Amino acid sequence: MNKYVIIGGVAGGASVAARLRRMDEQARIILIEKGPYISYANCGLPYYIGETIPQREKLFVQSVPGFAQRFRVEIRTLSEAVAVLPKQKTVRIRETESGNTYEETYDKLVLSPGALPVVPDWPGVQSEGIFTLRDVQDTDRIKQYIQEKEVESAVIIGGGFIGLEMAENLCMAGLEVSLVEKQPQVMGSIDLEMANFIHQKLYDNGVALYLGKGVSRFEREADGLRVTLDNGERIDCGMALLCIGVRPHTELARAAGLRIGETGGIAVNAHMQTSDPDIYALGDAVEIPHRLLQKPVLLPLAGPANKEARIVADNMVLGNRHTYNGCIGTSIAKVFDLHVASVGLNEKLLQKEGLPYAVSHTHSASHATYYPQSKMIDLKLLFHPENGRLWGAQAVGSQGVDKRIEMIAQVLRLNGNVTDLCETEQAYAPPFASAKDPVNMAGFVADNILAGRCRVVQWQEVAHRNAEQSLLLDVRTPLEYAAGHLPDAMNMEVDHLREHLSELPKDKDIIIYCAIGLRGYLACRILSQHGFTRVYNLSGGFRTYQMAVKKF
């Protein structure tokens, strides 16, 4: 009879335990968890604080008694693994309530310790009213503090996934919310022009944004907290929440002499084995290969962790038959009624890695526009400028964003290119999509760029253009132009363009734009076939430019 010990009982560890039992009915399986709960929904914690999930018990996928009964697993909660002794194949465990310590042997060991919140060494950071959010106990403390102290305002430090979700949910709980982010934008997985849609949504919902500003110190005042920023600004609040990020929980692995990778996570091979063949590891604590970058990364997401758990369990029982082939970083977040998703590489990463890329922006309807309640999906595509291989995509909107990013993710995962997007099939009926889906449209636009049918410029190039060497041509209607246009732009509606060709210069760059890029493309095709050789279309049109240059 095999004896398996698993350290960590949340998503990854509990999934390993359940799969092990399904694969080996005779095995002895022991699950060690430092906290009082197992198998709960980390990702749902912010929504319980905001009461979108009103019942606390909904956070628990399984109770300890229920899980133990169904899978016949020995679950030891409130038990901390304090040392792993690989040579003896032993784990030293301390019972947190009694302080008693004992040792447990294993045939195979699984490390699923997760990650720890980053807490910088700022003055006053240990003051009352400053929290992190990582587990159910954190959630209970935050919710209790808000109720008991009658908290009316909060400052969130960090604009990643948890910070954004907490901004929404604290607003839903009735608090005034400020969000401080040291970078010029929130959500680092996307680029600035896409992040500005989030900034606008936060602003519209009353969240005060402090972008490009870091924290200097915290001070406890008689009636709450004072947060001082590195530029001297001060924010008074009832509580603060640190959402700066997480770091892999590797202390056990380090002390056991297991290899730590270049990213700071536990190094594992393709079978999810550590440097000790009898110890496997998974989840937020390990580094995994990025399929596009071809190098290890940290990716603290629940999806990869659960897939890794299945592979770990199978390999422990069957031998190393299965491999984990890496990730592409598919993710999504909800910010009020805005859905923000991304997959693959963004511009910042492409530039850092020195990879060549081209960019297209498209704005398409979530389903047929003649069917009620169609919504705009803003989609950014990044691809190789020569062979069209997909590098990544980002999408924002209030409907259908998840479906589109997942369609692109499957093409990207199989090393697909923009032609594959042109040919991607979707389930079409007017309530669900258009005959030319937003993913197809993104592929068509990228294909036109690759084929040289239309040269594009990006919003940054237009913002810094040489006005003496270029002409901005707005091909929208006069009514649209009057409602707002780029400085110094000439208005010439696309439907009447052919009658006014003589009014346009051939010795200057002509940068054409419309609302979203479609009419601009038509105008480019007209001019390029009438002898104009210096014609460019503004990618994404006025909508992308206007959002990209907006200051918050």
Side-chain angles (χ1 to χ4, degrees):
M1 180 176 67
N2 290 314
K3 182 179 180 181
Y4 305 120
V5 175
I6 303 164
I7 298 174
V10 192
S15 294
V16 171
R19 179 69 175 176
L20 280 173
R21 178 56 72 216
R22 292 194 294 270
M23 298 297 292
D24 186 349
E25 181 66 18
Q26 307 306 318
R28 185 182 179 193
I29 305 169
I30 301 172
L31 185 62
I32 308 298
E33 169 55 42
K34 181 179 178 180
Y37 310 109
I38 65 160
S39 193
Y40 57 84
N42 287 77
C43 300
L45 299 179
Y47 301 100
Y48 170 61
I49 292 172
E51 297 191 351
T52 300
I53 300 172
Q55 296 172 308
R56 184 175 179 275
E57 58 268 23
K58 295 291 186 181
L59 297 172
F60 299 95
V61 180
Q62 278 275 12
S63 67
V64 171
F67 193 94
Q69 174 66 24
R70 176 165 296 177
F71 296 106
R72 296 301 194 269
V73 172
E74 298 176 38
I75 301 175
R76 302 176 188 175
T77 55
L78 298 175
S79 297
E80 181 182 7
V82 294
V84 174
L85 309 171
K87 291 182 179 179
Q88 294 89 346
K89 298 186 73 170
T90 298
V91 179
R92 187 172 297 136
I93 301 165
R94 182 176 61 232
E95 297 173 337
T96 55
E97 290 185 326
S98 67
N100 293 334
T101 300
Y102 65 94
E103 293 188 354
E104 190 70 62
T105 60
Y106 63 83
D107 293 316
K108 301 287 184 182
L109 176 68
V110 178
L111 299 179
S112 182
L116 299 172
V118 173
V119 181
D121 190 22
W122 290 319
V125 76
Q126 300 300 330
S127 300
E128 178 189 336
I130 301 176
F131 300 91
T132 59
L133 178 61
R134 191 61 185 167
D135 54 32
V136 174
Q137 299 95 295
D138 291 336
T139 308
D140 291 338
R141 283 190 287 267
I142 293 169
K143 204 166 177 68
Q144 182 180 4
Y145 192 85
I146 292 172
Q147 294 170 349
E148 290 183 354
K149 303 293 185 180
E150 299 180 345
V151 175
E152 297 180 352
S153 60
V155 173
I156 296 170
I157 317 297
F161 286 99
I162 296 176
L164 292 171
E165 290 167 354
M166 283 305 302
E168 173 187 349
N169 281 281
L170 289 177
C171 283
M172 298 295 289
L175 278 66
E176 292 184 10
V177 177
S178 300
L179 190 149
V180 178
E181 170 54 57
K182 192 171 181 62
Q183 300 303 315
Q185 65 168 82
V186 300
M187 196 175 284
S189 60
I190 64 176
D191 295 311
L192 176 62
E193 70 271 30
M194 306 301 283
N196 268 353
F197 286 100
I198 308 175
H199 300 155
Q200 184 68 61
K201 183 61 63 174
L202 293 167
Y203 177 82
D204 291 344
N205 282 274
V207 177
L209 288 174
Y210 296 82
L211 301 175
K213 299 169 184 177
V215 170
S216 173
R217 66 182 182 274
F218 295 95
E219 296 169 283
R220 185 70 202 174
E221 304 289 326
D223 55 350
L225 282 170
R226 172 166 291 174
V227 184
T228 302
L229 306 185
D230 52 17
N231 66 348
E233 286 185 86
R234 296 177 176 180
I235 312 171
D236 293 324
C237 61
M239 62 174 284
L241 189 63
L242 305 183
C243 302
I244 301 163
V246 297
R247 62 175 180 84
H249 194 348
T250 59
E251 283 75 0
L252 265 181
R254 288 179 185 274
L258 302 181
R259 189 167 72 86
I260 304 300
E262 60 189 79
T263 66
I266 302 171
V268 292
N269 63 16
H271 305 296
M272 304 305 295
Q273 277 177 305
T274 68
S275 52
D276 184 305
D278 291 321
I279 303 177
Y280 291 74
L282 70 148
D284 296 355
V286 306
E287 63 176 26
I288 54 177
H290 197 291
R291 293 172 68 100
L292 299 172
L293 294 175
Q294 297 297 308
K295 66 181 186 180
V297 295
L298 296 173
L299 196 72
L301 295 173
N306 278 276
K307 295 175 181 67
E308 294 160 18
R310 181 183 178 90
I311 291 169
V312 165
D314 285 2
N315 285 342
M316 290 169 69
V317 175
L318 303 173
N320 290 334
R321 297 185 185 180
H322 302 291
T323 60
Y324 182 67
N325 296 314
C327 65
I328 53 175
T330 311
S331 61
I332 190 167
K334 174 182 173 293
V335 185
F336 296 97
D337 63 346
L338 187 70
H339 305 161
V340 187
S342 66
V343 63
L345 308 179
N346 58 30
E347 279 200 72
K348 295 184 287 290
L349 262 175
L350 287 163
Q351 291 167 4
K352 179 181 177 182
E353 298 295 326
L355 295 170
Y357 69 94
V359 176
S360 72
H361 293 87
T362 51
H363 310 279
S364 307
S366 58
H367 59 249
T369 54
Y370 56 82
Y371 188 87
Q373 299 183 341
S374 174
K375 305 293 183 182
M376 182 77 80
I377 295 176
D378 302 281
L379 201 156
K380 178 177 183 176
L381 204 63
L382 299 121
F383 52 95
H384 195 287
E386 296 175 0
N387 59 31
R389 181 191 178 187
L390 286 180
W391 287 132
Q394 302 158 33
V396 298
S398 58
Q399 187 182 95
V401 167
D402 53 344
K403 171 180 175 178
R404 273 57 188 220
I405 214 71
E406 288 165 358
M407 291 169 67
I408 295 171
Q410 302 319 307
V411 174
L412 197 154
R413 187 175 179 277
L414 297 173
N415 299 318
N417 57 35
V418 297
T419 302
D420 295 311
L421 296 186
C422 298
E423 299 173 358
T424 296
E425 294 186 29
Q426 80 283 1
Y428 164 63
F432 304 104
S434 299
K436 295 179 181 178
D437 190 82
V439 171
N440 299 137
M441 292 303 297
F444 296 154
V445 170
D447 182 64
N448 285 334
I449 294 171
L450 280 175
R453 300 184 191 99
C454 180
R455 290 180 291 178
V456 296
V457 294
Q458 301 303 321
W459 63 269
Q460 304 97 320
E461 299 172 84
V462 173
H464 301 97
R465 73 185 180 92
N466 186 323
E468 295 181 358
Q469 297 178 8
S470 61
L471 169 72
L472 279 177
L473 183 62
D474 187 323
V475 296
R476 299 174 300 162
T477 66
L479 191 62
E480 289 175 287
Y481 179 84
H485 59 269
L486 298 184
D488 304 320
M490 173 191 291
N491 184 218
M492 191 177 290
E493 190 174 355
V494 66
D495 292 343
H496 308 295
L497 188 60
R498 295 178 181 86
E499 289 75 42
H500 297 276
L501 295 177
S502 61
E503 301 172 28
L504 297 175
K506 291 190 175 181
D507 60 346
K508 286 187 175 184
D509 293 336
I510 300 178
I511 299 174
I512 301 171
Y513 74 91
C514 63
I516 61 173
L518 176 57
R519 285 173 289 174
Y521 168 66
L522 299 177
C524 279
R525 295 302 299 156
I526 292 170
L527 292 186
S528 64
Q529 294 178 81
H530 281 85
F532 292 84
T533 59
R534 298 171 62 179
V535 180
Y536 303 86
N537 189 23
L538 173 58
S539 182
F542 189 62
R543 179 178 174 86
T544 293
Y545 182 90
Q546 191 176 36
M547 184 57 70
V549 300
K550 200 162 189 177
K551 302 299 181 184
F552 291 90

